[in-house]
Amino acid sequence: MTSTLPSRKAIHLAAHFPGVNNTTVWTDPGSGSQIDFTSFEHLARTAERGLFDFFFLAEGLRLREHKGRVHDLDVVGRPESLTVLNALAAVTEKLGLAATVNATFNEPYETARRFASLDHLSGGRAAWNVVTSSDAFTGENFRRGGYLDRADRYTRAAEFVDVARQLWDAGTGRPVRHHGRHFTIEGDAGVPTPPQGHPVVIQAGDSAEGREFAAAAADVIFTRHGTLEAGRAFYADVKGRLAAHGREPEDLLIMPGVTFVLGDTDAEAQEKAAGIRRQQVSPQNAILTLEQVWGVDLSSYDPDGPLPDIDPVPDTGLSQGRTHRGDVFALAEKWRELSRAKGLSIRQTVIETTSRQSFIGTARTVAAEMDAFVQGDAADGFILVPHLTPGGLDDFVDQVVPLLQERGAFRTEYEGDTLRSHLGLRTPERTLTA
Amino acid sequence: MTSQPGRGLLHLAAAVDLAGTLDAEPYLRLVRLAEHGALDFVTLHDTFAAAGPDSLSVLSRIAPATSRIGLVPTVTTTHTEPFHVQAAVATLDWVSRGRAGWRPDVSPGDDEAALVGRRQPPAPADLWHEAGEVADVARKLWDSWEDGAEIRDVATGRFVDRDKLHHVDFEGRTFSVRGPSIVPRPPQGNPVVVVDATRPYAYDVAARHADVALVGIADPGQLATARAGLRRRAAEHGRDPDELRVLAALRIDLGGGERTARPGHGGGPLPTEEGPLYRGGPVDLADLITDWHRRGAADGFHLTPLDPRRDLERLVNGTVPLLQHRALFRTFYPGSTLREHLDLARPANQFAALAQESS
Ligand SMILES: Cc1cc2nc3c(=O)[nH]c(=O)nc-3n(C[C@H](O)[C@H](O)[C@H](O)COP(=O)(O)O)c2cc1C
C-alpha cells in the first residue's frame, strides 16, 4: 500500500495524443507517424504503464485553411477518434479512453449509441469531451451546415448531453420520450445501460457559458489555465458554481492541458525547452502566426527581419479553422513593443510570445511543481500534451511518475476497472423519465 | 481470370452477427475462427436501434486482435453524416492496416427516424439514391488526400503538399460536402464497398459503387444471370466489370450432421423471406459451393450462419478443408489487405488522375 497522507489530494493524469497545431514538433528526427495505429498504441500503452487515468483525442472536422488553401505548416490530418479508441481498448486494460465529439455536427442518438458501444466494449472506460465549436466553415462538411452563436451552442450542447444521458439510463426495453427545443426523440435506445452508467463527460470551453455548462453537467473540465495564478482563479470560479447545481466540489475535476520538458539539470531542461520552442516556430510558421494577427498577406516579409509597420486589418477571414479573438491592434502593438525593446526579429518575437512550457526542470522539479499545483488548488490533475509522437511521454512515465508516487500524490496501482473509478467519480443514479 | 469464376479461386465470407452481445470476446472468437479458415472477410450487420454495440465499433475493437481477415461493418446512411461515416470507415482501414470494408445500408423504419428526430424516412428508392451518393462522396473523400500528400519537408517547413489535398465540392440531393477529409488516404486507397444487391432499389448502387455485390438467389442458373447483369450494368457505368466481385448470399444451417438425408447437396437452398437458406451438413455445403462455382454462378459466397457459434465452426473445420483439398480455396493468406484477398486492385486516385489529365 502507499503511504498516502489522508489530507493529500491525489493527482489525476491524462495523455493527450499530439495534436494538429504547432505544439507538435514533426521536424524532430524522433517524430513518428501521426496516423499509423502503432503511434496510438505506443502512447496509450505508455500511459497505461504510467497508471494514467485516461488517454485523450482531440477533434477537428475541417482541415484548417490559410489564404484559401489547406494550412500546410503543422501536422495535418488525423483518424476518427471513436474508431481509434475502440481499437485501443483491445491493447489496453484499464486506461480510460476519451474522444472529443462535437455537439453541433452530430445527433444525440447516434453519439449516445457510439459512446455506449465504446463503454461496453472497453469494460467501462469511455469518456466524451463535449465540444461546441461551430462555424460556417466547418459546417460546409455537414448536412446541418451553418453556424450557431455561443448561447445557442451551449443550450444545444446541454440538451444534447441530457438526451444522451436519458438514452443511457433507459437502456433497453424502456422507451425514451424527449421533446425539447433542439431535439425530439422517441424510442428504445437499443443498447443496454453502459457499465459506467454514464460515460464520463468532459467539457472544454472557457466562456462563462462554457463554465456554467461544465458546472451543471460535466465530470471533468479541460482548461487552458496552466499557470498557478490563473489556475487558482479558474478553479475557485468553477468549483464555486457547483453548489447552485446541487453538486459537490469533487463531482467536477479540473484538468488543465499542460506541456513539460525534462532535463538532467534544471538549466539543461530550460535550454531544451527553448530549443523546442524554436522547433515549434519555423520561419514559415512565424510569418503565418503574424498573418493570423495582421489579417493580410505578409509573405514578402523576412522572418529574420523586423515586424511590419502596417496596421492589422481585423476580420479578413484570412485564416479559417483557427481564429484569433480579441483586439488585433493591441496585440500587434504589444509585439512591436517587445521586438523594439529586445531587438527581436519576427521569428524571435513569435518564439518569445509562444507560451513557455508549463513545467520545465529535472524530474524532481517537475514532480514537486505539479504536486504543489494540485495541492494548492489550481487543478485536480493534468492533461499532458507531449510535443513528440509517439514517444513524448516515455521519460515522464519513467522518471516523473515514480516521484509523484513517492510523494504519495499518485496511485501505485489501478484500484478499479472503470474510468469513473480512476477519477473517484460516483456512478450516476439512473433517472427514468418515461 | 475473374471473368471466368469457375476457374479462379473462390472467395468466402461469413456473417458474425450475435444479437444482443455486448462484450468483444464472443465476436473475437468468431472472427478468429473465420481467420483460421482463411476467409476473405467477415460482416457484421447493423441498424439504428439494434440491440448491442454498433458494428463499426465492434470491428475496430477486433482489428488489433486479428491480423489478416477483412472486417466489413454495416454503417447506415439515412440518419448519419456522410463525412463522419467515411472518416470512421477510413479509420477502420488504418487501425486494421488495410482490412476494412463497408456495407452501406438504409434506415427505412419509422422507429429509427423517431430516435433521431431529424426527418421522416423518404421512400425506399430515394433512400438508396442517397446511399449511392454517400458511397460516391465517401470515395471522393478517401481520394481527397493523394498518396504521399504527407511530405514532412523540413527545408520549406511544409508537413503536407497541399497540391495533393482536394476539396471534393460534392452536391447531392440531400446533402453537400466541401472536403477534404480529415483522414489521410487509407491503406487500401478505398476500403472495400460491399452492397447487398438483392435489396430493392440497391441493384444500381451495387453496379455503380460496389467492389463486392451480394446476391441472394436460390437457383444457380438465375444467379449466373444476375451476375452477368450486374457486370454489364457496371460496364455501362464505365467500370471494368472484373473489378466487381459477385458473391452468392446464403443463410446456412449446418445443424444436421455430416451429410443431409438426401445425397448430393441437400437439394439446394430453399428460398425464404430473408434469402436463400441452405440446410445440410458441411460436406454437402462444400459440394454445393464446388458445383455452383464450376457453373460460374458466382465469384464466391457470403454465408450467414443461423447459429454462428455452431455453424461457423462446422464451416471452417468441415467445409473449408474440402474446398482447400479441391484446390478451390486458399490454404493461407498470401496478401495482407482485404483488396489483396479479393484480388481487387488498389484503386487509382480520382483527383490525381484528373490532375494528370489537365496537365
Ligand atoms: C482545452 C481546450 C481544448 C479544446 N479542444 C477542442 C477540440 O479538440 N475540438 C474542438 O472542436 N474544439 C475544442 N475546444 C473548443 C471548445 O469546445 C469551445 O468550442 C471553444 O473553447 C469555444 O467555447 P467558449 O466560447 O466557451 O470558450 C477546446 C477548448 C479548450 C479550452
Side-chain angles (χ1 to χ4, degrees):
Chain A
M1 272 320 304
T2 60
S3 55
T4 314
L5 304 170
S7 60
R8 200 158 199 88
K9 276 169 72 185
I11 298 178
H12 297 280
L13 292 176
H16 189 300
F17 190 83
V20 175
N21 52 53
N22 77 332
T23 303
T24 307
V25 175
W26 57 262
T27 48
D28 192 282
S31 155
S33 172
Q34 290 285 134
I35 183 78
D36 284 347
F37 184 63
T38 47
S39 289
F40 294 88
E41 186 174 350
H42 180 112
L43 191 70
R45 282 187 192 271
T46 306
E48 186 162 83
R49 182 160 59 82
L51 305 175
F52 278 37
D53 294 69
F54 60 92
F55 177 90
F56 181 94
L57 291 174
E59 178 190 71
L61 295 172
R62 174 96 190 249
L63 299 188
R64 290 153 53 200
E65 290 186 11
H66 187 67
K67 299 182 195 166
R69 308 195 61 195
V70 171
H71 171 49
D72 58 356
L73 301 180
D74 296 335
V75 166
V76 184
R78 51 183 146 200
E80 190 270 326
S81 303
L82 280 163
T83 305
V84 171
L85 294 184
N86 276 297
L88 287 176
V91 298
T92 55
E93 285 175 9
K94 305 278 187 177
L95 185 68
L97 302 165
T100 301
V101 171
N102 192 293
T104 306
F105 301 113
N106 284 286
E107 297 296 329
Y109 173 74
E110 190 189 8
T111 304
R113 181 166 183 249
R114 294 202 74 202
F115 276 101
S117 297
L118 176 62
D119 209 45
H120 280 293
L121 293 166
S122 67
R125 300 192 275 141
W128 170 23
N129 178 32
V130 185
V131 296
T132 58
S133 342
S134 93
D135 50 72
F137 175 72
T138 306
E140 286 176 356
N141 282 337
F142 297 97
R143 291 178 188 268
R144 203 184 167 287
Y147 167 85
L148 292 175
D149 67 27
R150 191 182 282 153
D152 281 342
R153 277 194 274 133
Y154 278 111
T155 59
R156 180 178 159 105
E159 192 178 325
F160 196 117
V161 171
D162 174 45
V163 174
R165 286 183 169 147
Q166 289 182 48
L167 288 161
W168 293 330
D169 279 341
T172 43
R174 203 181 286 106
V176 165
R177 197 160 290 124
H178 173 91
H179 290 252
R181 181 168 150 221
H182 298 273
F183 308 107
T184 298
I185 277 152
E186 290 188 8
D188 193 307
V191 193
T193 299
Q196 293 188 99
H198 302 162
V200 169
V201 168
I202 305 172
Q203 195 274 345
D206 257 357
S207 59
E209 290 88 343
R211 294 177 187 203
E212 205 50 35
F213 169 50
D219 302 305
V220 175
I221 182 160
F222 177 19
T223 96
R224 293 203 171 98
H225 297 286
T227 66
L228 196 58
E229 310 72 55
R232 277 207 180 112
F234 182 80
Y235 193 95
D237 176 85
V238 172
K239 296 264 178 178
R241 294 170 187 259
L242 289 166
H245 299 281
R247 303 180 74 203
E248 304 289 333
E250 63 272 19
D251 291 340
L252 175 62
L253 302 182
I254 297 176
M255 298 180 71
V258 296
T259 50
F260 63 90
V261 182
L262 299 175
D264 290 337
T265 64
D266 286 343
E268 190 212 53
Q270 291 292 351
E271 230 169 85
K272 264 169 77 179
I276 291 166
R277 294 198 296 275
R278 275 195 297 278
Q279 283 183 307
Q280 287 166 333
V281 183
S282 66
Q284 295 85 355
N285 228 317
I287 296 294
L288 175 113
T289 307
L290 230 58
E291 288 178 338
Q292 286 174 337
V293 176
W294 262 259
V296 294
D297 182 287
L298 299 174
S299 52
S300 61
Y301 283 78
D302 177 3
D304 295 321
L307 268 69
D309 296 327
I310 54 168
D311 275 332
V313 185
D315 304 322
T316 54
L318 193 73
S319 267
Q320 294 272 21
R322 180 221 242 175
T323 46
H324 251 283
R325 280 190 250 146
D327 183 348
V328 289
F329 296 102
L331 192 58
E333 197 38 51
K334 199 171 121 198
W335 286 11
R336 280 199 201 106
E337 197 75 42
L338 180 73
S339 148
R340 253 180 261 127
K342 295 197 178 178
L344 303 178
S345 68
I346 287 178
R347 183 169 174 220
Q348 287 166 329
T349 306
V350 176
I351 292 169
E352 188 75 12
T353 56
T354 299
S355 32
R356 289 173 75 258
Q357 291 86 348
S358 323
F359 297 99
I360 306 171
T362 63
R364 201 158 288 283
T365 302
V366 168
E369 282 182 11
M370 286 186 137
D371 192 21
F373 206 98
V374 169
Q375 305 314 327
D377 279 348
D380 295 309
F382 305 96
I383 296 181
L384 296 175
V385 188
H387 74 279
L388 275 187
T389 309
L393 278 184
D394 295 358
D395 289 347
F396 186 93
V397 164
D398 292 335
Q399 299 170 23
V400 182
V401 166
L403 296 173
L404 292 173
Q405 290 168 329
E406 216 170 81
R407 304 176 77 89
F410 192 63
R411 68 175 67 84
T412 53
E413 61 187 353
Y414 285 114
E415 280 161 24
D417 295 325
T418 67
L419 177 55
R420 273 188 186 277
S421 143
H422 307 336
L423 293 169
L425 296 167
R426 46 190 139 208
T427 301
E429 285 162 39
R430 280 171 88 182
T431 49
L432 300 173
T433 46
Chain B
M1 269 314 298
T2 47
S3 53
Q4 295 282 331
R7 302 218 190 121
L9 284 186
L10 60 86
H11 300 283
L12 288 180
V16 291
D17 302 300
L18 292 170
T21 301
L22 299 172
D23 298 338
E25 228 20 71
Y27 294 104
L28 182 57
R29 270 199 294 275
L30 288 185
V31 179
R32 283 204 170 130
L33 188 58
E35 187 169 68
H36 179 68
L39 267 55
D40 293 66
F41 61 90
V42 293
T43 60
L44 190 57
H45 193 54
D46 201 26
T47 65
F48 270 18
D54 71 274
S55 299
L56 193 130
S57 292
V58 173
L59 293 180
S60 4
R61 171 66 180 74
I62 299 299
T66 53
S67 60
R68 291 299 167 115
I69 193 157
L71 304 168
V72 184
T74 296
V75 184
T76 56
T77 58
T78 306
H79 300 297
T80 50
E81 282 285 357
F83 192 83
H84 291 319
V85 171
Q86 64 80 29
V89 174
T91 302
L92 179 61
D93 207 42
W94 279 108
V95 301
S96 67
R97 300 181 174 90
R99 295 185 285 132
W102 166 39
R103 194 170 163 188
D105 200 0
V106 301
S107 307
D110 289 335
D111 51 341
E112 291 163 275
L115 279 167
V116 179
R118 196 169 52 83
R119 62 168 179 175
Q120 281 305 302
D126 294 331
L127 287 177
W128 273 105
H129 177 85
E130 185 179 65
E133 289 189 341
V134 177
D136 192 8
V137 80
R139 278 198 201 279
K140 289 192 162 66
L141 287 162
W142 294 332
D143 282 351
S144 66
W145 289 60
E146 292 182 33
D147 296 321
E150 183 182 315
I151 50 170
R152 296 193 181 224
D153 184 35
V154 177
T156 57
R158 293 176 307 145
F159 182 80
V160 288
D161 175 355
R162 55 190 174 191
D163 290 337
K164 293 190 167 159
L165 294 180
H166 304 278
H167 289 127
V168 302
D169 289 322
F170 185 87
E171 295 285 340
R173 267 191 220 160
T174 54
F175 66 90
S176 59
V177 178
R178 176 97 166 112
S181 178
I182 51 165
V183 187
R185 195 167 196 244
Q188 295 185 99
N190 294 178
V192 172
V193 176
V194 179
V195 176
D196 192 344
T198 9
R199 300 238 165 162
Y201 309 104
Y203 183 82
D204 202 53
V205 174
R208 270 177 109 103
H209 301 291
D211 301 295
V212 176
L214 309 181
V215 181
I217 294 179
D219 174 77
Q222 286 174 19
L223 184 60
T225 308
R227 176 176 178 275
L230 273 167
R231 289 169 57 86
R232 203 175 323 109
R233 185 75 76 91
E236 283 162 18
H237 286 303
R239 303 180 60 197
D240 174 357
D242 285 345
E243 291 297 304
L244 174 64
R245 301 283 166 272
V246 179
L247 304 190
L250 289 184
R251 302 167 67 225
I252 55 169
D253 173 358
L254 303 182
E258 285 301 294
R259 285 182 176 274
T260 36
R262 275 186 289 170
H265 38 83
L270 297 169
T272 74
E273 275 286 276
E274 292 137 282
L277 169 64
Y278 172 84
R279 270 216 164 93
V283 175
D284 295 313
L285 179 61
D287 290 346
L288 178 139
I289 289 175
T290 304
D291 178 44
W292 285 26
H293 185 59
R294 294 225 163 102
R295 290 211 233 167
D299 302 306
F301 293 79
H302 174 261
L303 305 169
T304 302
L306 249 55
D307 178 342
R309 290 179 184 85
R310 177 198 66 198
D311 295 336
L312 198 66
E313 197 273 327
R314 292 186 180 181
L315 176 76
V316 166
N317 294 325
T319 310
V320 166
L322 281 172
L323 296 171
Q324 290 169 329
H325 184 70
R326 291 170 193 168
L328 293 177
F329 191 61
R330 69 175 73 85
T331 52
F332 67 99
Y333 292 103
S336 58
T337 70
L338 177 53
R339 282 190 175 273
E340 286 168 344
H341 306 336
L342 289 165
D343 197 18
L344 290 170
R346 190 172 185 277
N349 187 309
Q350 48 187 305
F351 294 101
L354 273 182
Q356 258 168 9
E357 268 167 37
S358 62
S359 67

